[in-house]
Structures are given as structure tokens and as C-alpha cells.
Amino acid sequence: MHSFKTPDKIKNSYSSRICQIADERKKGKKVVGTFCLFVPDEIIFAAGADRVILCGGKNETIPIAEQYLPRNICPLVKSSFGSLVNDGSSDVKSCSHFSMVDMVIAENTCDSKKKMYELLGNYIPTYVIDLPQRPDSPEALKYFLSELEKFKSAMEELTGNRVTKDRLREEIKSSNETRKLLHSLYDMRKKDPAPINGTEILKLLQRQYFLSPGEFKEHIRNLIKEVEESEPEENHRPRILISGCPMSGGNSKVPEIIEDRGGMIVAEESCTGTRSFWDPVDEDKEPMLALAERYIKIPCSCMSPNDRRVDNNLELAEEFDVDGVVYYTLQFCHGYNIEKHKVQQALKKAGIPMLFIETDYSGSDVEQIKLRVDAFMEMLS
Amino acid sequence: MHSFKTPDKIKNSYSSRICQIADERKKGKKVVGTFCLFVPDEIIFAAGADRVILCGGKNETIPIAEQYLPRNICPLVKSSFGSLVNDGSSDVKSCSHFSMVDMVIAENTCDSKKKMYELLGNYIPTYVIDLPQRPDSPEALKYFLSELEKFKSAMEELTGNRVTKDRLREEIKSSNETRKLLHSLYDMRKKDPAPINGTEILKLLQRQYFLSPGEFKEHIRNLIKEVEESEPEENHRPRILISGCPMSGGNSKVPEIIEDRGGMIVAEESCTGTRSFWDPVDEDKEPMLALAERYIKIPCSCMSPNDRRVDNNLELAEEFDVDGVVYYTLQFCHGYNIEKHKVQQALKKAGIPMLFIETDYSGSDVEQIKLRVDAFMEMLS
């Protein structure tokens, strides 16, 4: 099995990026933090700002958050909040990029994030984009477009730069390039055996959280090259599609277990997977409209109806020739948790086995998950 | 303490209403079921349809729902779904009005309801109104208005009747009358001691779920009259405001405990309380716009920002001269659960003690809640 060699340059990419951001900020560049794929990067970069992604995957900052937030909500929400409000008075360290944002660009997606942002506003300037919950309605698109226009103005105000149509077109083109590169990488995973582990792909996608778009592209290109040059794998292992909640940097518990126990993750239907890059933005349309049209179609469980996600799972299962699906939800994520029923029914009809894992960031359920994954692998082998 | 005498007519109101609905349906009248205050009754009645409210408060139908829905979501959502999909194959009986609706009129408010409605569509025609999550944005209002216009057309299609401006105005006037009557009833509770228990008021408000607007008004009038004629109460008891999640018919666990342990509930900041009737609809404006403006302002925790709810709690606490607030949430209701922090901070600043109770429909935590309520009452006495 090919394992990503992590050259020194990539190993040091986090700290060098932190220095770069610090440097940019000294020169007056604004840095914003986002939490969600529904916030179009293109508008941020077209305004001349930089951005990092603030979804937390570390367990350590959760106790900080639980001083303000209920225990029984999503670990991602708590971890992110804990990292952001961490004043350093405890021994826990947040990742540096959490303290380097001038503004948080949030969005009304799920209940927990929506209400968490209201508290976050006490600690850091927080701009919220409202999101209609309908992917296929002309009125919803119009409302979303008006929200993106307001967001564009807010970015202009923050940075002092005008967001021109030309700049938007450049950024759309650049983001589409990243999307194409990721498609190329994912195409390689269609081979059997796949030439690279899913956990390596996840690590790459998690790097997107702090890297600049240019560096991220370079990392993808390097990985593609490395995979091309690697020796082909010989043994078939059960091919797994992971579907569900995102896995933020620091959280790779379940994919690691799956691949340790003999599985091979070949695709991820998630925000740290296909949902982040699958669809390009139309380069021929008026840029703001093209962005609204592309982003409102992201098949997140916050959308209703969300049949597109059910279909996506079936399509990915076929395209990547998967043997089974691991449906992954973070604890108390009602959206993905309830949507499981529809996905499960569709997979059942298609004869594709599914294992459901609901978990958090702690290690307390690792042994139990291992047992369940073992049973699933036995069934698939 | 005044206790509502429940004359025979009121005792039999459920079964006589069921007969009435059955009769209406035979004659071709359509009956719709709603779940949420954000769906304007006025549009339903103006279309010549009847309506019942389908929020479940019974524990018994939850196991039926858990065949399809996760366990760790809101009991109200599970109870409602269980009542609606109950095919009678188990021993559990749903209330009759659950099986008498031609269409469910749903709304995208919280994550759990939103996703539950998608499954519900497999069992009963389900129309969903999308709801922007901003109470104070002109664009959100416009989007909500467009959603209400679509809903009006759907009602016209269902009933075959046109919804005219005149009919809407009549229904707005009628609903405003109900709101005024409830205000009169609530005004009586401002006396110390209050002349009527909170549990009696809750029972009245829960009757709204199945009664026709005319009958409901009659019930309020009767209760007002009865309270006026009753002997005044002599002993002061700690005056409690309940704030948070709704209490649907069948669920009165916490208010009963509070009043059994010596408290007196004098107001409810909830959907089975002030939120349902506090604001009138402007009778002088274009009716659809007036409805959109009134309904989008309901301070449900699904709205963001929702400072209006925080303010409401402070205003109600003052108006009703409360000694303490019981913040009540249903398990896994992220919205009210996270919003607790803001309400608690505001109450603390105003010097008003607060007790937090998170519960479900089971009896398993009754003894624990009693202990906590006892401690709170001791503190307030």
C-alpha cells in the first residue's frame, strides 16, 4: 500500500503558512475564517483577503467550549468554538491559525452552528450569511444571491478593495483548477486496488483548511505525481465509501480504524471529500449568479429535499466500485443522522451493504468501533 | 388555588370535534395538519380548510417513530411522527385527529423537523414552507412572502377555493380576536397571587391543537368568566416564568411538578404560551404582507439573531413580576439549548434566578426534576 512520504516541505507547510499569514496581516491584508462549504472562497479571494477554515477536529478544546455550550451537541461545533475562544488560560493550545482571523464568515446551516455563531460574536467579529434550505427553487436562489451580494459588500468594506467581475472570474477559474486536480486524484482511486489510502487523501483535504489555494494545488499535484510513480498495490481490500459528516483536521479516527482493519477507503461523500470539489462553477455565466447557482446545490443535509445526496451516494458507489458504505455521523448531528434512513434505503435497494457509525472526537469508543468495523469487513471479504 | 372545573361540554370537546371533522370531510372539506406557529392559520382558514395541530406530546408513540428516526432527537418530533405513521399494528393508539388530515403543512425550522418531514412525505402528502432564518432583513421578508404566496396557491389547489384578500382580512380579524382574548386571560395572571394555575392555562392552550378557532375562543371566554367569578387566592407562591420549548398535548410533566412543589406558573415564553398569540397581525396592511411581517418575527430559537426572545424574557419577567425562570428544553433541541446561554446571562444581569431543566416525555427523570425544583423553590421562598 502506497503511503504518502510527506517531504520536508509539506511537513513544514503549517508553520511556514502561519508565518506567511502573520506577515500578510502586518502588511494590512485581512484574513477571514470560514466554517462551511456554502461560503464561496472566490468572493473572499477576489476581495484580496486570505482565508483559513476553522472547523475544529481536536478533542482538546471541547472542554473550553463546554463552559458556554451544551455538552450534547456536535463535537465539531464545540471544538471549533473552544479553539476560537481559547484565551490560553488553560494548558490547551489551539492551532495558531484560529487566532489569526480578522473576521469569521459564518452561515446559517445547522441549528448548532447557527446558534454557536451568535455566541461567537462576543469574541470575534462574525458575519453570517443566511442560507435558504431549498436547492431547487428560483426564489431560494434569488434570496441566496442577495445574501452573497451583501457578503461581497461586507468583504469590500473589510478589505477596502472592490470585488470586480474580472477578479471574481479569475478566482472562479482558479478554484475550478483545484476542483479539476482533485477529480484527477480521485480518478486514480477508481483502480483496484486503489493506489493510495483514504487516510492519506483525508490528510491532504484537511490541509486545505490552512493552506493558500496555490500551495494546496501544489500539494495535490505532488501527490498525484507521487502516486503515478509508485509501485502498484497487489491485494484487493474491501473498497469503502465513507458518507456523512466532515472530518476536520485532528479527526481521522474512523478512517484510520477502517484502513487498519483491512478496508480501503476509495471515496468520501462528505464536506472533507466530494462535496467540497465535485461541481465546478460555470465560467461563462455572470460570476455572482454562477456562484449562487453552484453553491446552493451542495448536497448538505441542511438542504431539503436533499435527494441529490442520496443519488450521489449511489453514483459514487458505482463509479468507485465500492463493496460497502460506512455512514459516518458526528454525535447529535440531526441532519445527517436522520438523512441516514433515506441513504440506507437507497443502498439497500441497490444491494450495497452499509455500516452506521455515530461518534465524537474522544477515544472512548475506539474499541467498540473496531469490533463493528471488523464484523463489517468480514461480511465484505 | 383556583382549579378549572371542566364542564361536560369541555370534557367532551375532543370527541365532538372529531365527529365534526369527520362530518366536514364527508362533505368534501379539506383538513390540514400543522406543526408550527410559523404556518399562518389565516391562510388555511381563508381557503375554507380546517386545521389541527399535530405536535405530539405523548410518550407512547415514540417507539413507533424510532423504527425510522434516531433515538437521540427531540421527543416532540418523534412523538408526532410516531402518531402520524402509526398503522395500528401495535397496541399504541394515536389521537384520532392525527389520522384525519388530507395534507401536512410543514416548515423548515429546526434540523430534526426539517429532515423528519422528508420521511413523512412517504406516508402523507406533505407541503413544506421554507423559512429564512433572519427576522430583520428586508430580503428575508421578501423570500418568506414568496413562500407564503406559494403556500396560498397550494391551499387554493387543495381546496378548490380562491383565497381572496377579503377572506384573509376576515381571518386575520378573527385570529386577532383570539389573541386579544388570550391577552386578557394572561393579564389576570399578573395579580399576586395569580387566580389560576399555569397547568390549567397550558391545558387550555393545548386544546387549541384540535379545537376550531370558534370553539377555542369560547373556551377562553368561559375560563376568563370562571376566573373572574372565583374566590381570590390568599397565599403567595413563588411566581415562575417558564421559557423554552413547547409543551404539546400529553406533555405537562414539568409544569405539574413545579406547581405540585409550591410554585405558581404565571407566564410561558414558549410556542404553547406567549409566542403563539403575543403579536397581532396588522389589519390595515395588505393582508399577505401583514402576515409575512407578523409571522417572521416570532422569536423562535430557529431565528438568528434572536435577541428579541432574550428581551421578551426580561419583559415578561417584569410584567408578570416573576420570582424565577424555569428554562425548559426538550432533549436534543440544539436551538433552545444553546440559546439558554444568552437568556441566562441576561437574567443574571437582571438578578432573576433561573433553573434549567432538559427533559423528554418519559417518567424516568421525574424524581430528579422534583429534587431540583424543590431546591429552586427553597431558594425563591
Side-chain angles (χ1 to χ4, degrees):
Chain A
M1 170 50 39
H2 177 80
S3 187
F4 195 36
K5 275 176 232 135
T6 323
D8 284 349
K9 199 181 159 194
I10 291 178
K11 267 192 206 146
N12 300 328
S13 60
Y14 186 74
S15 46
S16 66
R17 171 66 167 154
I18 294 300
C19 296
Q20 187 207 339
I21 294 175
D23 207 42
E24 282 175 356
R25 292 185 83 201
K26 257 189 224 154
K27 291 179 188 154
K29 191 164 188 156
K30 299 294 179 185
V31 180
V32 302
T34 63
F35 282 93
C36 180
L37 297 180
F38 281 105
V39 178
D41 279 345
E42 290 90 338
I43 295 173
I44 297 169
F45 295 132
D50 206 342
R51 81 98 179 78
V52 288
I53 301 175
L54 301 173
C55 294
K58 288 173 78 176
N59 202 35
E60 294 72 23
T61 56
I62 288 180
I64 301 170
E66 287 176 351
Q67 296 172 62
Y68 313 91
L69 295 170
R71 282 204 69 187
N72 56 353
I73 63 166
C74 158
L76 189 154
V77 171
K78 287 188 289 185
S79 172
S80 312
F81 186 82
S83 288
L84 276 162
V85 308
N86 187 3
D87 60 5
S89 61
S90 74
D91 287 343
V92 179
K93 293 278 163 285
S94 298
C95 293
S96 309
H97 65 282
F98 279 88
S99 63
M100 302 182 96
V101 296
D102 297 293
M103 189 181 260
V104 164
I105 309 297
E107 67 334 293
N108 287 338
T109 41
C110 67
D111 293 344
S112 297
K113 282 207 282 174
K114 180 167 65 180
K115 302 312 281 184
M116 177 271 276
Y117 295 142
E118 293 177 11
L119 304 189
L120 195 58
N122 295 335
Y123 301 90
I124 183 166
T126 302
Y127 182 90
V128 184
I129 298 172
D130 195 21
L131 183 74
Q133 293 146 79
R134 283 250 175 90
D136 294 311
S137 138
E139 292 83 8
L141 178 68
K142 209 168 149 187
Y143 178 52
F144 186 50
L145 182 57
S146 77
E147 282 295 295
L148 292 188
E149 291 285 357
K150 280 201 270 184
F151 166 49
K152 182 174 74 122
S153 304
M155 284 306 302
E156 288 177 334
E157 199 177 321
L158 179 72
T159 60
N161 301 323
R162 257 202 72 218
V163 176
T164 63
K165 284 195 197 303
D166 282 349
R167 283 291 297 119
L168 281 170
R169 282 199 190 96
E170 278 167 39
E171 291 301 336
I172 288 173
K173 218 177 142 191
S174 167
S175 294
N176 278 346
E177 277 166 20
T178 308
R179 293 174 185 127
K180 267 179 230 157
L181 283 171
L182 285 166
H183 269 286
S184 306
L185 182 64
Y186 269 60
D187 278 344
M188 302 173 101
R189 306 170 80 186
K190 292 180 183 170
K191 267 196 219 153
D192 188 33
I196 182 163
N197 273 333
T199 41
E200 299 293 343
I201 300 280
L202 179 64
K203 274 185 217 157
L204 176 83
L205 282 159
Q206 288 175 343
R207 263 189 214 107
Q208 190 168 198
Y209 282 30
F210 59 87
L211 288 182
S212 71
E215 284 170 300
F216 183 54
K217 274 181 217 168
E218 202 191 323
H219 280 227
I220 312 173
R221 281 193 201 102
N222 286 343
L223 186 56
I224 290 175
K225 201 166 155 236
E226 210 188 324
V227 174
E228 278 171 347
E229 290 165 1
S230 66
E231 291 294 311
E233 181 69 11
E234 287 189 357
N235 298 324
H236 171 85
R237 295 154 73 183
R239 298 171 65 82
I240 303 295
L241 165 69
I242 288 203
S243 175
C245 289
M247 295 174 192
S248 307
N251 171 27
S252 49
K253 182 167 80 171
V254 171
E256 276 171 11
I257 293 175
I258 293 171
E259 301 205 319
D260 276 354
R261 314 308 276 190
M264 164 63 97
I265 298 163
V266 293
E268 302 79 8
E269 195 285 311
S270 87
C271 293
T272 38
T274 55
R275 253 177 263 142
S276 72
F277 69 87
W278 210 249
D279 299 316
V281 178
D282 191 331
E283 296 182 20
D284 300 324
K285 280 197 176 169
E286 194 284 318
M288 288 299 286
L289 178 65
L291 288 169
E293 285 181 346
R294 187 268 181 194
Y295 279 84
I296 205 173
K297 298 265 182 206
I298 297 171
C300 168
S301 73
C302 74
M303 286 291 166
S304 182
N306 194 28
D307 297 327
R308 199 162 167 239
R309 180 165 171 249
V310 180
D311 296 342
N312 264 193
N313 271 287
L314 294 175
E315 285 154 20
L316 290 170
E318 197 182 322
E319 251 183 79
F320 288 83
D321 193 20
V322 314
D323 298 304
V325 173
V326 173
Y327 196 99
Y328 170 89
T329 68
L330 292 171
Q331 254 191 335
F332 311 118
C333 173
H334 299 334
Y336 285 102
N337 205 353
I338 300 178
E339 198 156 274
K340 184 193 73 196
H341 184 78
K342 278 204 168 186
V343 174
Q344 191 167 28
Q345 296 289 99
L347 291 172
K348 202 174 171 184
K349 216 173 144 192
I352 304 162
M354 186 188 112
L355 175 72
F356 173 50
I357 296 176
E358 182 177 12
T359 185
D360 58 12
Y361 290 174
S362 79
S364 60
D365 57 357
V366 164
E367 293 306 318
Q368 209 185 36
I369 295 174
K370 280 183 189 169
L371 284 173
R372 286 166 55 71
V373 169
D374 280 346
F376 192 56
M377 289 305 148
E378 258 180 64
M379 207 190 78
L380 300 182
S381 296
Chain B
M1 169 50 41
H2 177 80
S3 188
F4 194 39
K5 275 177 234 135
T6 323
D8 284 349
K9 198 181 160 194
I10 291 177
K11 268 192 206 146
N12 300 329
S13 60
Y14 186 74
S15 46
S16 66
R17 170 67 166 152
I18 294 301
C19 295
Q20 187 207 339
I21 295 175
D23 207 43
E24 281 174 357
R25 294 185 82 200
K26 257 189 228 155
K27 291 177 189 154
K29 192 164 189 156
K30 298 294 177 184
V31 180
V32 301
T34 63
F35 282 94
C36 180
L37 298 180
F38 281 105
V39 178
D41 279 345
E42 289 90 339
I43 296 174
I44 297 168
F45 295 131
D50 205 340
R51 82 95 180 80
V52 289
I53 301 175
L54 301 173
C55 292
K58 287 173 80 175
N59 201 36
E60 293 71 25
T61 56
I62 289 181
I64 301 170
E66 287 176 352
Q67 296 172 63
Y68 313 91
L69 295 169
R71 282 204 67 188
N72 55 354
I73 62 166
C74 156
L76 189 154
V77 171
K78 288 188 288 184
S79 171
S80 313
F81 186 82
S83 288
L84 276 162
V85 307
N86 187 3
D87 60 5
S89 60
S90 73
D91 287 343
V92 177
K93 293 277 163 285
S94 299
C95 293
S96 309
H97 64 283
F98 279 88
S99 64
M100 301 181 98
V101 295
D102 297 292
M103 188 181 262
V104 164
I105 309 297
E107 68 332 295
N108 287 337
T109 42
C110 68
D111 293 345
S112 297
K113 280 205 285 175
K114 180 168 63 181
K115 302 311 281 185
M116 177 271 278
Y117 295 142
E118 294 177 11
L119 303 190
L120 196 58
N122 295 334
Y123 301 89
I124 184 167
T126 302
Y127 183 90
V128 183
I129 298 171
D130 195 20
L131 184 74
Q133 293 146 78
R134 282 250 177 88
D136 293 312
S137 137
E139 290 83 8
L141 178 68
K142 210 169 148 186
Y143 179 53
F144 186 50
L145 182 57
S146 77
E147 282 293 296
L148 291 188
E149 292 285 357
K150 279 201 272 186
F151 165 49
K152 182 174 72 127
S153 303
M155 286 305 303
E156 289 177 333
E157 199 178 320
L158 179 73
T159 60
N161 301 324
R162 258 202 70 219
V163 176
T164 63
K165 283 194 199 303
D166 281 349
R167 284 291 295 118
L168 281 170
R169 283 200 189 96
E170 279 167 39
E171 291 301 336
I172 288 172
K173 218 178 141 189
S174 165
S175 294
N176 279 346
E177 278 166 19
T178 308
R179 292 175 184 125
K180 266 178 231 157
L181 282 170
L182 285 166
H183 269 285
S184 306
L185 182 64
Y186 269 59
D187 278 343
M188 301 173 102
R189 307 170 79 188
K190 292 180 182 168
K191 267 196 216 152
D192 188 31
I196 181 164
N197 274 334
T199 40
E200 300 293 343
I201 299 280
L202 179 64
K203 273 185 218 157
L204 175 83
L205 282 159
Q206 288 175 343
R207 264 189 213 109
Q208 189 168 197
Y209 282 32
F210 60 87
L211 288 182
S212 71
E215 283 169 303
F216 184 53
K217 274 181 219 170
E218 201 190 322
H219 280 228
I220 311 172
R221 280 193 202 102
N222 288 342
L223 185 56
I224 290 174
K225 200 166 157 238
E226 209 188 324
V227 173
E228 278 171 346
E229 288 166 0
S230 67
E231 290 295 310
E233 181 69 12
E234 287 191 358
N235 297 323
H236 171 85
R237 295 154 73 183
R239 296 172 65 83
I240 303 295
L241 166 68
I242 287 203
S243 175
C245 290
M247 294 175 193
S248 307
N251 170 27
S252 49
K253 181 167 80 172
V254 170
E256 276 172 10
I257 294 175
I258 293 171
E259 300 204 320
D260 276 354
R261 314 308 275 190
M264 164 64 96
I265 298 163
V266 293
E268 301 81 7
E269 194 285 312
S270 88
C271 293
T272 36
T274 55
R275 253 178 263 143
S276 72
F277 69 85
W278 209 248
D279 298 315
V281 178
D282 191 330
E283 296 181 21
D284 300 324
K285 281 197 175 169
E286 193 286 319
M288 287 299 286
L289 178 66
L291 288 169
E293 284 181 347
R294 187 268 181 196
Y295 279 83
I296 205 172
K297 298 267 182 206
I298 297 170
C300 168
S301 73
C302 73
M303 286 289 165
S304 181
N306 194 28
D307 298 327
R308 198 160 169 240
R309 181 165 171 250
V310 180
D311 296 343
N312 264 192
N313 271 286
L314 294 175
E315 285 155 18
L316 290 170
E318 197 182 323
E319 250 182 80
F320 289 83
D321 193 20
V322 312
D323 298 302
V325 173
V326 173
Y327 196 99
Y328 170 89
T329 68
L330 292 171
Q331 253 191 337
F332 312 117
C333 173
H334 299 334
Y336 285 101
N337 205 352
I338 300 178
E339 198 156 273
K340 183 194 73 195
H341 185 77
K342 278 205 168 186
V343 174
Q344 190 168 28
Q345 295 291 99
L347 291 172
K348 202 175 170 183
K349 216 175 142 189
I352 303 162
M354 185 188 112
L355 175 72
F356 173 50
I357 295 176
E358 183 178 10
T359 186
D360 58 13
Y361 291 174
S362 79
S364 60
D365 57 357
V366 164
E367 294 306 318
Q368 209 185 36
I369 294 174
K370 280 182 188 169
L371 282 173
R372 286 167 55 71
V373 168
D374 280 345
F376 192 56
M377 289 305 149
E378 259 180 63
M379 207 191 80
L380 299 182
S381 296

